[in-house]
């Protein structure tokens, strides 16, 4: 079976899980092609799905959904009735609408979704002082990622599709959640006037075309607050403000403590 694994990963967490999933599918005998769809340019490539029997999509959870840049890109695809599966990484907070809303998007593009899964990963906002899921993913997460690939392979060659719990949230409610997530960063990534070697990595790797390397500033309208530029700057000159206050606020709002976070588990949805 020829399998295409498409993954979006701003700070490298989803990429780690994608690698494990890719290796596990290879062990089942699949011929696996891995493709990074993180940067704006990556997603402008034309993906010919014809040679593939099935597709796997992997993204982080951003404010209860797949990142906006990915959702917009999915709307341009033609699934040709192919089977697919989704996996997500997240920082230990809420996930619920993500699986269902991404399934809906993919079905609208003529894909058949056979399974989904979620894995714990270092929260992106830890780069600004949060303390969620540090050290994840680890071996325990990789083990479940391997199981997910083995089970999904059986789904790809079998008849069953996934049934996911519906969400009652409207797209408008989720959009407003997303905006508050973006606004959590009161100061978007900036060099704050510091000079840099102009390697252009920040601009080239930006998923939403928001970063201007020359000025070192981002366009607030386009930015999805994914911190790809901060995580990938080789000179470490891009900074965000210290947002640890919003960590306590968010933890209180979602009634999350250090202990309850430790109880969070990876999940496979069939
Ligand atoms: C804008 C934004 C919103 C996020 N929203 C959520 C969320 O709703 N729930 C959660 O548990 N984690 C959330 N996260 C954390 C990421 O899902 C998590 O850190 C992910 O593993 C990062 O993967 P990546 O490095 O592949 O991009 C969010 C991160 C960002 C940047």
């Amino acid at each position: 079976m020829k399998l295409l694994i498409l993954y979006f990963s701003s700070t490298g967490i989803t990429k780690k899980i994608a690698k494990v999933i890719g290796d596990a599918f290879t062990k089942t005998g699949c011929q696996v092609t891995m493709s990074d769809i993180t940067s704006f340019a990556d997603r402008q490539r034309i993906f010919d799905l014809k040679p593939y029997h099935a597709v796997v999509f992997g993204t982080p959870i951003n404010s209860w959904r797949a990142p906006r840049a990915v959702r917009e890109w999915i709307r341009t695809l033609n699934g040709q009735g192919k089977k697919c599966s989704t996996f997500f990484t997240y920082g230990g907070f809420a996930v619920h609408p993500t699986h269902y809303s991404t399934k809906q998007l993919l079905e609208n593009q003529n894909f058949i979704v056979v399974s989904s899964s979620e894995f714990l990963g270092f929260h992106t906002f830890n780069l600004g002082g949060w303390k969620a899921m540090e050290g994840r993913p680890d071996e325990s997460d990789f083990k479940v990622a391997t199981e997910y690939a083995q089970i999904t392979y059986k789904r790809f060659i079998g008849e069953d599709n996934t049934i996911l719990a519906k969400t009652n949230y409207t797209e408008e409610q989720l959009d407003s959640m997303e905006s508050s997530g973006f606004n959590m960063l009161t100061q978007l990534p900036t060099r704050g006037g510091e000079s840099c070697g102009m390697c252009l990595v920040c601009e080239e790797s930006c998923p939403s075309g928001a970063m201007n390397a020359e000025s070192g500033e981002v366009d607030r309208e386009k930015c999805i607050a994914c911190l790809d530029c901060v995580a990938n700057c080789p000179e470490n000159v891009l900074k965000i403000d210290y947002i640890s206050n919003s960590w306590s606020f968010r933890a209180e709002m979602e009634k999350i403590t250090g202990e309850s976070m430790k109880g969070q588990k990876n999940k496979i949805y069939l």
Side-chain angles (χ1 to χ4, degrees):
M1 172 186 295
K2 284 193 173 173
L3 181 68
L4 177 62
I5 300 185
L6 298 161
Y7 64 90
F8 176 105
S9 187
S10 300
T11 68
I13 300 301
T14 312
K15 186 176 181 174
K16 282 187 192 171
I17 293 283
K19 164 101 182 46
V20 172
I21 288 171
D23 290 348
F25 271 113
T26 303
K27 285 203 180 110
T28 66
C30 288
Q31 206 178 313
V32 175
T33 303
M34 306 283 296
S35 197
D36 188 339
I37 53 157
T38 312
S39 77
F40 188 75
D42 287 333
R43 295 188 309 280
Q44 303 315 301
R45 282 180 283 144
I46 295 170
F47 290 94
D48 181 10
L49 300 183
K50 241 187 227 137
Y52 300 101
H53 294 99
V55 187
V56 176
F57 295 87
T59 81
I61 290 176
N62 281 8
S63 307
W64 298 12
R65 285 184 294 186
R68 185 172 71 193
V70 176
R71 301 197 311 270
E72 286 169 359
W73 171 76
I74 287 177
R75 292 194 182 95
T76 68
L77 301 179
N78 177 0
Q80 303 168 21
K82 301 220 180 241
K83 289 188 179 182
C84 77
S85 176
T86 49
F87 71 90
F88 301 93
T89 64
Y90 75 114
F93 285 96
V95 296
H96 165 57
T98 313
H99 299 275
Y100 185 74
S101 77
T102 313
K103 178 175 184 263
Q104 294 285 94
L105 271 180
L106 289 164
E107 285 177 353
N108 288 344
Q109 302 309 125
N110 199 19
F111 285 97
I112 299 165
V113 184
V114 303
S115 67
S116 192
S117 58
E118 68 203 26
F119 302 98
L120 290 157
F122 180 93
H123 199 298
T124 314
F125 289 174
N126 294 352
L127 298 177
W130 282 28
K131 299 214 168 300
M133 295 301 153
E134 290 171 305
R136 306 294 285 271
D138 60 18
E139 285 307 320
S140 66
D141 307 307
F142 297 151
K143 191 166 170 265
V144 184
T146 300
E147 275 166 36
Y148 155 74
Q150 290 162 344
I151 295 172
T152 299
Y153 172 68
K154 287 190 186 140
R155 282 272 160 117
F156 282 152
I157 58 173
E159 296 296 322
D160 294 330
N161 302 330
T162 185
I163 298 165
L164 295 170
K166 278 193 181 166
T167 172
N168 292 325
Y169 290 99
T170 62
E171 284 297 300
E172 288 73 26
Q173 285 167 325
L174 292 170
D175 284 347
S176 124
M177 265 282 303
E178 186 174 67
S179 307
S180 67
F182 294 164
N183 291 333
M184 203 87 81
L185 301 183
T186 45
Q187 168 68 67
L188 290 175
T190 173
R191 288 200 298 269
E194 260 193 76
S195 62
C196 80
M198 281 292 146
C199 68
L200 304 186
V201 164
C202 57
E203 187 170 313
E204 284 165 7
S205 70
C206 176
S208 58
M211 172 53 83
N212 181 329
E214 204 177 321
S215 68
E217 303 293 330
V218 303
D219 179 330
R220 186 169 274 276
E221 288 299 306
K222 290 186 183 165
C223 180
I224 58 169
C226 70
L227 307 192
D228 184 299
C229 54
V230 176
N232 290 308
C233 172
E235 292 175 283
N236 207 17
V237 288
L238 283 163
K239 302 274 184 272
I240 51 167
D241 54 343
Y242 200 67
I243 52 168
S244 51
N245 286 349
S246 64
W247 159 248
S248 351
F249 168 76
R250 181 74 186 271
E252 199 173 308
M253 193 175 88
E254 299 208 13
K255 310 234 174 318
I256 278 177
T257 61
E259 273 315 297
S260 71
M261 271 207 149
K262 280 186 202 146
Q264 294 278 50
K265 296 251 181 306
N266 303 304
K267 286 192 194 130
I268 300 172
Y269 298 81
L270 294 173

